């Protein structure tokens, strides 16, 4: 636990990669170097994306690959390092599908992601946009995109179809001490749920009392219903014990230091009631993020992966500055309204 903050602080590996490539032994060495450096820097754990594999690959085989990766981490002396995972559903593994067989396939896929989370992190959190498939925007039979009221009407029966999948998934995860934290993501990236209230509405429709939400500061700035509604949603999530994870991320998904993060929201609404971990999340200008997020900014060069660039911040520089900024912003009295 971070002594200054009184909670765990994690760092997202979206700074380095969207795929841990567990079969690539050379890349495993690179990952270990990153983990060692960032742990020495003061981070308690790391959030890693579990990349989708070809649909022909057996789910058990995928889990076995991560078992092997975790053994390599342990052999390197990183057995005490904590991990959470970032997971998204796909067009193939769609728990909102109107077809029962496809929903069963999605459940099997998501259970394998719970298993991987357990392998890597033990008693941990699986977070991400894993209700409706990420980035899959619906269209009509004539290929016209569906937006606004029509989109809300279209997706409601999809959410209804997904509830039985999630009731079984939440129970499966709880038995393995993995907490599921659905992350709402802004509407230009993916269809609903885009807001905290939409995730809570979905979870309240489940018979199982568990299942939670992730709050991301970038999503709050770019896709929310305003500060008064946000305050109510935080209180609503806390009353139900559903606020599982908080991501600290700049609206442009870049460096945290001197960014437009709404620190007043953190200090006023989250700090007083939330006792879980914070995640520093920076999306580096690397594939696939550079194209999917249409990034114009330069890459933070990654030690051990990119050639050093004089005069430009490395990934480690940005990570260190972000941790210092978080400590300063959350352990000192406020200096007026700051964003």
């Amino acid at each position: 636990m971070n002594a200054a903050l009184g909670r765990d602080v994690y760092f997202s590996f979206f700074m380095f990669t969207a795929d841990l490539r567990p079969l690539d032994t050379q890349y495993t060495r690179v990952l270990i170097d990153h983990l060692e450096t960032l742990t020495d820097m003061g981070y308690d754990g790391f959030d890693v994306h579990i990349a989708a594999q070809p649909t022909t690959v057996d789910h058990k085989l995928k889990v076995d690959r991560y078992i092997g990766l975790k053994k390599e981490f342990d052999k390197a002396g990183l057995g005490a390092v904590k991990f959470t995972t970032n997971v998204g559903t796909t067009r193939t593994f769609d728990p909102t599908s109107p077809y029962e067989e496809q929903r069963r396939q999605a459940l099997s896929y998501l259970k394998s992601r719970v298993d991987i989370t357990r392998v890597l992190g033990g008693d941990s959190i699986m977070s991400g946009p894993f209700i409706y498939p990420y980035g899959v925007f619906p269209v009509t039979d004539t290929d016209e995109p569906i937006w606004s009221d029509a989109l809300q009407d279209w997706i409601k029966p999809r959410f209804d179809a997904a509830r039985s999948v999630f009731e079984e998934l939440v129970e499966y995860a709880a038995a393995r001490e993995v907490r599921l934290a659905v992350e709402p993501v802004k509407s230009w990236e993916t269809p609903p749920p885009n807001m905290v209230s939409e995730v809570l509405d979905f979870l309240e429709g489940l018979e199982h009392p568990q299942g939670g939400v992730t709050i991301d500061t970038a999503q709050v700035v770019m896709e929310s219903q305003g500060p008064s509604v946000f305050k109510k949603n935080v209180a609503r999530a806390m009353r139900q014990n559903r606020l599982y994870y908080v991501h600290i991320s700049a609206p442009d998904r870049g460096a945290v230091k001197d960014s437009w993060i709404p620190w007043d929201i953190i200090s006023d609404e989250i700090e007083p009631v939330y006792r879980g971990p914070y995640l520093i999340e920076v999306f580096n200008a690397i594939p696939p993020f550079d194209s999917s997020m249409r990034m114009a900014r330069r890459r933070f060069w990654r030690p051990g992966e990119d050639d050093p660039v004089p005069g430009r911040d490395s990934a480690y520089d940005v990570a260190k500055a972000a941790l210092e900024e978080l400590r300063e912003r959350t352990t000192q009295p406020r200096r007026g309204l700051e964003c």
Side-chain angles (χ1 to χ4, degrees):
M1 179 177 292
N2 191 288
L5 296 170
R7 70 177 77 240
D8 287 336
V9 179
Y10 290 66
F11 189 76
S12 172
F13 259 57
F14 282 153
M15 175 65 89
F16 305 107
T17 184
D19 187 356
L20 298 184
R21 290 149 44 189
L23 293 181
D24 186 335
T25 55
Q26 280 190 307
Y27 194 61
T28 296
R29 185 62 249 176
V30 173
L31 294 176
I32 288 170
D33 289 343
H34 291 325
L35 293 170
E36 290 175 339
T37 300
L38 292 163
T39 300
D40 290 343
M41 195 180 290
Y43 284 97
D44 302 287
F46 304 94
D47 188 68
V48 294
H49 182 244
I50 308 304
Q53 300 295 317
T55 57
T56 54
V57 178
D58 180 76
H59 292 317
K60 183 181 182 304
L61 183 58
K62 297 174 189 176
V63 175
D64 289 343
R65 291 172 178 174
Y66 283 91
I67 291 174
L69 181 63
K70 182 62 165 63
K71 287 179 179 178
E72 293 302 312
F73 292 164
D74 292 349
K75 284 196 298 185
L78 296 166
V81 171
K82 302 173 183 179
F83 292 94
T84 59
T85 60
N86 183 286
V87 170
T89 44
T90 70
R91 191 185 298 271
T92 299
F93 299 118
D94 178 4
T96 75
S97 170
Y99 306 107
E100 182 177 0
E101 178 58 28
Q102 190 173 11
R103 294 197 301 272
R104 300 308 299 177
Q105 291 174 353
L107 177 60
S108 178
Y109 165 85
L110 287 168
K111 283 181 175 179
S112 75
R113 268 44 190 171
V114 169
D115 292 339
I116 292 170
T117 305
R118 178 68 190 180
V119 164
L120 291 175
D123 177 4
S124 189
I125 300 169
M126 183 177 104
S127 179
F130 52 83
I131 298 179
Y132 183 80
Y134 175 80
V136 179
F137 290 92
V139 296
T140 66
D141 291 342
T142 56
D143 286 333
E144 291 294 322
I146 301 173
W147 300 115
S148 190
D149 290 356
L151 176 59
Q152 293 290 335
D153 293 341
W154 179 89
I155 208 159
K156 184 180 183 302
R158 309 282 295 213
F159 285 167
D160 291 341
R163 285 197 168 91
S164 62
V165 173
F166 272 80
E167 284 169 356
E168 187 171 341
L169 180 67
V170 168
E171 186 172 348
Y172 183 87
R176 287 150 184 80
E177 299 183 295
V178 172
R179 287 166 290 164
L180 303 181
V182 179
E183 180 181 358
V185 175
K186 56 191 173 295
S187 59
W188 66 262
E189 282 189 56
T190 194
N194 307 120
M195 294 179 286
V196 174
S197 58
E198 291 175 326
V199 173
L200 292 174
D201 288 344
F202 176 82
L203 295 173
E204 287 171 1
L206 304 182
E207 293 182 6
H208 201 290
Q210 297 191 38
V213 63
T214 293
I215 289 179
D216 185 312
T217 58
Q219 309 297 350
V220 168
V221 170
M222 292 186 284
E223 187 91 28
S224 70
Q225 296 158 294
S228 61
V229 174
F230 178 77
K231 182 177 181 178
K232 292 177 182 177
N233 284 332
V234 171
R236 178 182 171 192
M238 291 305 302
R239 278 197 310 271
Q240 300 174 16
N241 194 29
R242 293 192 190 274
L243 182 51
Y244 287 176
Y245 213 1
V246 173
H247 293 184
I248 309 296
S249 188
D252 73 341
R253 302 310 218 162
V256 166
K257 185 175 177 61
D258 194 28
S259 69
W260 291 103
I261 288 174
W263 292 106
D264 57 307
I265 287 177
I266 302 296
S267 60
D268 289 356
E269 310 301 339
I270 293 175
E271 270 287 315
V273 296
Y274 174 69
R275 297 295 176 264
Y278 284 143
L279 171 70
I280 298 290
E281 188 176 50
V282 177
F283 287 75
N284 205 351
I286 57 174
F289 310 128
D290 52 357
S291 59
S292 66
M293 295 186 173
R294 301 181 180 183
M295 292 182 177
R297 58 178 162 86
R298 292 190 180 276
R299 176 183 301 184
F300 305 120
W301 62 272
R302 300 162 296 174
E305 299 190 62
D306 303 317
D307 292 332
V309 182
R312 295 226 311 259
D313 286 338
S314 73
Y316 294 165
D317 294 328
V318 174
K320 183 178 180 181
L323 187 56
E324 291 171 350
E325 181 88 343
L326 179 62
R327 286 171 175 161
E328 179 183 350
R329 294 285 191 162
T330 57
T331 60
Q332 294 184 6
R334 291 184 62 202
R335 296 165 294 183
L337 185 63
E338 296 182 275
C339 292

